[in-house]
Amino acid sequence: MTSNTEMGVIGLGTIGGNLSKQAVKNGIRIVGKKHSRDKPELREKGVELVEEYDAFVNELAQPRVIYVSVPAGDIVDAVPDELGPRLDDGDVVMDGGNSFFRDSIRRAAELDGQGIHFLDCGTSGGSEGARHGACFMVGGDKEGVEIAEPILEELSVDGGYVHTGASGSGHFVKLVHNGIEFGMLQAIGEGVELLEDSDFEIELDEVFHNWSNGSVIRGWLVELMEQQLREQEFKDIPNYVEDTGEVNWLVQEAIKSETPIPVISQSVMELFKSREGQDNAYRAIALMRHGFGDHPFGSDESIAEERRTSRVENRSRMQLEEEVDDGNTR
């Protein structure tokens, strides 16, 4: 069996689990690395589950293609540390999480020294995308991409796969994507604030249904807003918006490179304000984020911890350029 028809998955949560289900449905054999807790719903769908790394690697034919779906941070370094000694030249490891792109550049260089291809695979589309067709933005060397590409094309929607270029570019493109997402969420939330504070008795779900059909601003976020308004009691939604901190990195990068991004920067500031008791705009953003990514309503300590720990590499572009000039790159 070739890598075109099988894949290993480490991290069987919302994204990894749903990608596994989609893959099996599409005829791709999936070997999943589970922890102590079993995943009977995945077994029922045909996902082969193992608990030990040795068994996981031995079940996959060379060149192995492995998709890692774990929270950004030190845990992403821990996975290659465990896998590296067990893999062979030409195997491919893809980080499908929201890792900081400079961390991905470093990881690619480290694994390249072991003959292993490391791809930074920005993944969008939420749980539904993972289940029925995701959007992949993939950075990495051409040889590794060509090995993984048939699987990525099979698991993406039409037009939803792109090789963005060198290592780090996939996660950088996904980071910019998330910044744009923040700006769009903020604009929609402010529109809800205006509608709710008006002198009119406006049915929000009807307005968003209207906007989803032929308007200039129609799109998935507007559709999600309508859907969530019909499923949730708007006034009961906590106006606290949680996040894992990736767009903060983008704002920091923009400051370092003196690239003006006022809308995205302000959307981050507004998100901070939501934690101080703001009103309807943040309920609206919380609704849409829950719709596309199952993000929680209200504060969540595990996500707050990820926000604090997920960025490992913390050097700026200018620092890296200085190190290159000085010959001190690692």
Side-chain angles (χ1 to χ4, degrees), residues 69 100 114 149 155 189 196 204 235 250 292 297 305:
S69 183
F100 183 52
Q114 303 174 49
E149 198 167 66
L155 296 179
E196 285 289 273
L204 290 179
K235 293 298 185 183
L250 186 62
F292 67 69
F297 294 128
E305 176 65 16

Side-chain angles (χ1 to χ4, degrees), residues 19-58:
L19 277 176
S20 298
K21 292 175 185 176
Q22 186 204 163
V24 171
K25 183 179 179 182
N26 292 353
I28 298 170
R29 176 176 176 249
I30 294 294
V31 178
K33 167 70 171 63
K34 72 180 185 70
H35 294 290
S36 56
R37 188 166 64 89
D38 201 13
K39 297 277 186 175
E41 72 281 5
L42 294 180
R43 289 189 187 277
E44 292 171 3
K45 295 294 184 180
V47 178
E48 301 173 36
L49 299 177
V50 298
E51 193 165 339
E52 301 299 329
Y53 274 106
D54 285 336
F56 174 77
V57 170
N58 291 336

Side-chain angles (χ1 to χ4, degrees), residues 6-311:
E6 70 175 18
M7 180 171 71
V9 177
I10 297 175
L12 297 166
T14 300
I15 302 301
N18 278 319
L19 277 176
S20 298
K21 292 175 185 176
Q22 186 204 163
V24 171
K25 183 179 179 182
N26 292 353
I28 298 170
R29 176 176 176 249
I30 294 294
V31 178
K33 167 70 171 63
K34 72 180 185 70
H35 294 290
S36 56
R37 188 166 64 89
D38 201 13
K39 297 277 186 175
E41 72 281 5
L42 294 180
R43 289 189 187 277
E44 292 171 3
K45 295 294 184 180
V47 178
E48 301 173 36
L49 299 177
V50 298
E51 193 165 339
E52 301 299 329
Y53 274 106
D54 285 336
F56 174 77
V57 170
N58 291 336
E59 282 293 321
L60 296 168
Q62 299 176 35
R64 301 173 181 90
V65 176
I66 298 170
Y67 183 92
V68 180
S69 183
V70 298
D74 289 332
I75 189 172
V76 182
D77 286 321
V79 171
D81 288 346
E82 290 283 350
L83 279 176
R86 297 173 169 86
L87 298 179
D88 296 292
D89 284 359
D91 287 347
V92 178
V93 177
M94 297 185 284
D95 177 8
N98 284 328
S99 291
F100 183 52
F101 69 96
R102 298 199 193 285
D103 293 333
S104 300
I105 294 171
R106 170 179 55 79
R107 289 165 183 148
E110 291 171 351
L111 285 178
D112 182 65
Q114 303 174 49
I116 299 165
H117 305 288
F118 181 87
L119 308 182
D120 45 293
C121 183
T123 304
S124 185
S127 56
E128 283 299 300
R131 186 70 179 87
H132 302 291
C135 176
F136 297 117
M137 297 144 263
V138 183
D141 66 90
K142 184 177 180 181
E143 184 180 352
V145 168
E146 287 178 348
I147 295 170
E149 198 167 66
I151 292 176
L152 294 170
E153 289 180 336
E154 184 67 32
L155 296 179
S156 64
V157 297
D158 290 343
Y161 160 79
V162 63
H163 178 206
T164 53
S167 294
S169 64
H171 278 154
F172 179 72
V173 170
K174 178 57 164 46
L175 182 58
V176 174
H177 161 286
N178 288 359
I180 293 169
E181 172 193 301
F182 265 42
M184 294 170 69
L185 291 169
Q186 183 62 32
I188 294 170
E190 290 176 9
V192 170
E193 192 77 57
L194 287 167
L195 293 171
E196 285 289 273
D197 284 350
S198 75
D199 295 331
F200 306 102
E201 293 186 7
I202 294 173
E203 297 293 335
L204 290 179
D205 56 345
E206 295 298 325
V207 169
F208 276 88
H209 178 75
N210 173 261
W211 286 351
S212 295
N213 291 276
S215 81
V216 170
I217 64 168
R218 66 187 181 277
W220 191 40
L221 293 178
V222 172
E223 293 171 4
L224 284 174
M225 189 63 192
E226 179 199 349
Q227 174 189 328
Q228 291 293 306
L229 284 166
R230 295 188 188 281
E231 294 178 0
Q232 311 279 351
E233 184 60 46
F234 183 58
K235 293 298 185 183
D236 291 342
I237 301 301
N239 51 18
Y240 185 109
V241 181
E242 191 60 277
D243 83 302
T244 53
E246 293 96 3
V247 180
N248 302 5
W249 311 339
L250 186 62
V251 174
Q252 292 164 3
E253 287 293 313
I255 291 170
K256 290 170 184 173
S257 62
E258 299 184 2
T259 303
I261 53 168
V263 172
I264 294 173
S265 299
Q266 187 60 32
S267 72
V268 174
M269 300 304 110
E270 294 296 325
L271 184 144
F272 294 161
K273 284 169 59 179
S274 79
R275 296 165 190 169
E276 300 298 328
Q278 303 295 307
D279 292 317
N280 298 309
Y282 306 106
R283 289 192 178 95
I285 293 170
L287 272 176
M288 288 180 282
R289 287 173 59 83
H290 181 74
F292 67 69
D294 292 326
H295 298 287
F297 294 128
S299 62
D300 185 292
E301 182 54 36
S302 65
I303 292 179
E305 176 65 16
E306 183 177 346
R307 179 169 65 244
R308 292 189 289 267
T309 62
S310 58
R311 176 172 172 167

